[in-house]
Amino acid sequence: MKQRVVSGMRPTGKLHIGHYHGVLENWVRIQNDFDCFFFVADWHSLTTEYADTSGIKESIREMVLDWVGFGLDPAKSVVFRQSLVPHHSELNLILSMITPVSWLERCPTYKEMQDNLSAKDLSTFGFLGYPVLMAADIILYKAGRVPVGHDQLPHLEVTREITRRFNYLYGNVFPEPEALLTQTPKLLGLDGRKMSKSYGNSIYLSDTAEETTKKVLSMMTDPARVRRSDPGEPDVCVAFNLHRIYVPQEKLDEIIPACRGAAIGCVECKKILADCMNERLAPFRAKREELAARPQFVDDMLADGSNRASLISDTVMAEVRAALKF
Ligand code: TRP
Ligand code: SF4
């Protein structure tokens, strides 16, 4: 029997290529090897977006189109929406009863996020409880593995602690989930900072080939290479962090010495990159467009996935209630 995997993403809108190579590509890759549950963590969005929820619905749609367009297969994986499976909330409530506040307060992401998002009032009960809801998401399906990046490891540690405490208090109901660590290459954006929606320096999965080419041509290179005749250095070139992902090795073997010897110009070099990116992304973008043209696709798929998820969560919650002698 395949091990069960559960992972979620907060709906932040359309995904950029950093999300793709960091998380989504890995989800797609493991679909055949695990019994996968992937969900839209829309309740988690409320922890930071509670004051303005108007964008969440559209964000879900854009994100799910990216998921399926770029290879998540609802026939292989259960793809669903957290808020359509109310058991997440019921288990969250029960877990919140047994979770010491100190575990949450000492979670490094707690203070960090509050500082990073200082424009928002994150002194809420729900924001503090983010890791509890995440624990509920995971153990509700008795997941064995959780594909996460390094940034989520503290949360997963809280999940494991809560799981042990539940099992200690009420009997062995849940397996202790383990991380399925994925190396996440931190992609640089057009301006050399980390690729991030809020910096406006991203290339989106849903960008057209023309938009992609335009963005790539505007991308920073080696800042020391001012004139075409100056030698460049791929290792410090911003664009080159994308070459490494998209341009075949034989071509890189030509570009690297040509750059160092000023035998190739940055415009030409970035055109090669843009062409490789567009070639690789084209079939996924076409699929995404096809799905986007079907107005009911996202809602229907999430409804179906959520029904399938509920079949599991229903039996697990029955076990939980029995363990609590309710
Ligand atoms: N916290 C995750 C993030 O911000 C999203 C998430 C919510 C999640 N619940 C989860 C991830 C359960 C893995 C498992 O990206
Ligand atoms: Fe970067 Fe290519 Fe320009 Fe060299 S030639 S600095 S690798 S864009």
Side-chain angles (χ1 to χ4, degrees):
M1 241 182 62
K2 289 178 185 169
Q3 238 189 340
R4 182 163 295 151
V5 148
V6 172
S7 199
M9 250 188 243
R10 272 173 301 157
T12 51
K14 51 187 186 176
L15 303 178
H16 55 59
I17 58 173
H19 294 125
Y20 179 58
H21 298 293
V23 184
L24 181 55
E25 201 178 23
N26 184 55
W27 285 12
V28 172
R29 200 180 303 126
I30 64 177
Q31 286 184 109
N32 293 321
D33 309 327
F34 294 94
D35 176 24
C36 292
F37 286 63
F38 297 120
F39 69 97
V40 178
D42 54 347
W43 274 333
H44 278 93
S45 285
L46 284 182
T47 59
T48 54
E49 308 306 310
Y50 64 86
D52 179 9
T53 57
S54 59
I56 295 179
K57 199 171 176 169
E58 188 55 23
S59 287
I60 292 173
R61 179 181 157 75
E62 295 290 347
M63 185 174 79
V64 169
L65 286 172
D66 284 333
W67 283 6
V68 183
F70 281 72
L72 218 59
D73 182 351
K76 286 183 188 160
S77 302
V78 179
V79 182
F80 70 101
R81 179 172 171 179
Q82 183 185 39
S83 67
L84 290 180
V85 186
H87 292 134
H88 287 251
S89 157
E90 184 182 354
L91 186 55
N92 172 64
L93 178 105
I94 292 168
L95 299 182
S96 77
M97 301 300 171
I98 67 169
T99 305
V101 172
S102 60
W103 291 4
L104 303 172
E105 284 172 335
R106 73 164 189 235
C107 190
T109 53
Y110 179 57
K111 288 264 173 325
E112 230 169 76
M113 284 267 277
Q114 276 189 333
D115 293 344
N116 290 348
L117 300 174
S118 54
K120 290 177 179 161
D121 179 358
L122 298 183
S123 59
T124 60
F125 181 46
F127 184 72
L128 178 66
Y130 188 107
V132 182
L133 182 55
M134 191 163 151
D137 298 335
I138 295 166
I139 67 177
L140 182 55
Y141 302 94
K142 297 193 173 179
R145 304 298 289 272
V146 185
V148 285
H150 279 95
D151 61 314
Q152 295 294 318
L153 280 182
H155 290 149
L156 193 63
E157 212 35 61
V158 177
T159 294
R160 289 162 58 83
E161 285 175 306
I162 294 174
T163 305
R164 285 196 289 272
R165 192 163 167 104
F166 185 99
N167 288 341
Y168 168 76
L169 290 167
Y170 307 117
N172 254 321
V173 174
F174 295 112
E176 220 177 285
E178 280 173 42
L180 188 63
L181 262 186
T182 51
Q183 1 89 303
T184 44
K186 280 268 174 293
L187 281 204
L188 302 179
L190 306 179
D191 57 1
R193 291 185 290 175
K194 178 179 178 266
M195 191 174 284
S196 160
K197 187 165 210 166
S198 52
Y199 293 153
N201 65 357
S202 302
I203 298 172
Y204 292 98
L205 295 180
S206 49
D207 281 347
T208 62
E210 293 70 36
E211 285 166 329
T212 303
T213 301
K214 213 171 135 200
K215 285 182 180 179
V216 169
L217 289 178
S218 78
M219 195 162 191
M220 271 181 58
T221 59
D222 171 356
R225 192 172 189 206
V226 183
R227 270 181 231 103
R228 167 70 176 76
S229 54
D230 296 336
E233 177 46 60
D235 285 343
V236 300
C237 170
V238 176
F240 203 75
N241 89 96
L242 297 185
H243 282 78
R244 289 196 192 284
I245 295 178
Y246 290 99
V247 179
Q249 189 59 46
E250 313 86 73
K251 196 75 196 160
L252 293 183
D253 292 341
E254 285 171 33
I255 288 176
I256 293 169
C259 170
R260 290 182 178 145
I264 186 174
C266 289
V267 173
E268 187 192 338
C269 182
K270 290 195 286 188
K271 274 203 180 119
I272 295 171
L273 168 62
D275 289 346
C276 290
M277 288 182 72
N278 286 328
E279 193 180 306
R280 167 122 161 241
L281 299 172
F284 302 119
R285 286 169 165 169
K287 172 93 189 278
R288 189 193 195 278
E289 250 183 79
E290 196 186 294
L291 298 171
R294 292 161 51 189
Q296 281 309 307
F297 171 75
V298 170
D299 285 348
D300 287 353
M301 190 206 65
L302 290 177
D304 176 61
S306 302
N307 284 334
R308 287 161 66 199
S310 297
L311 293 178
I312 309 287
S313 64
D314 207 27
T315 60
V316 175
M317 279 316 294
E319 271 184 72
V320 168
R321 291 183 211 109
L324 265 72
K325 305 188 170 58
F326 266 45

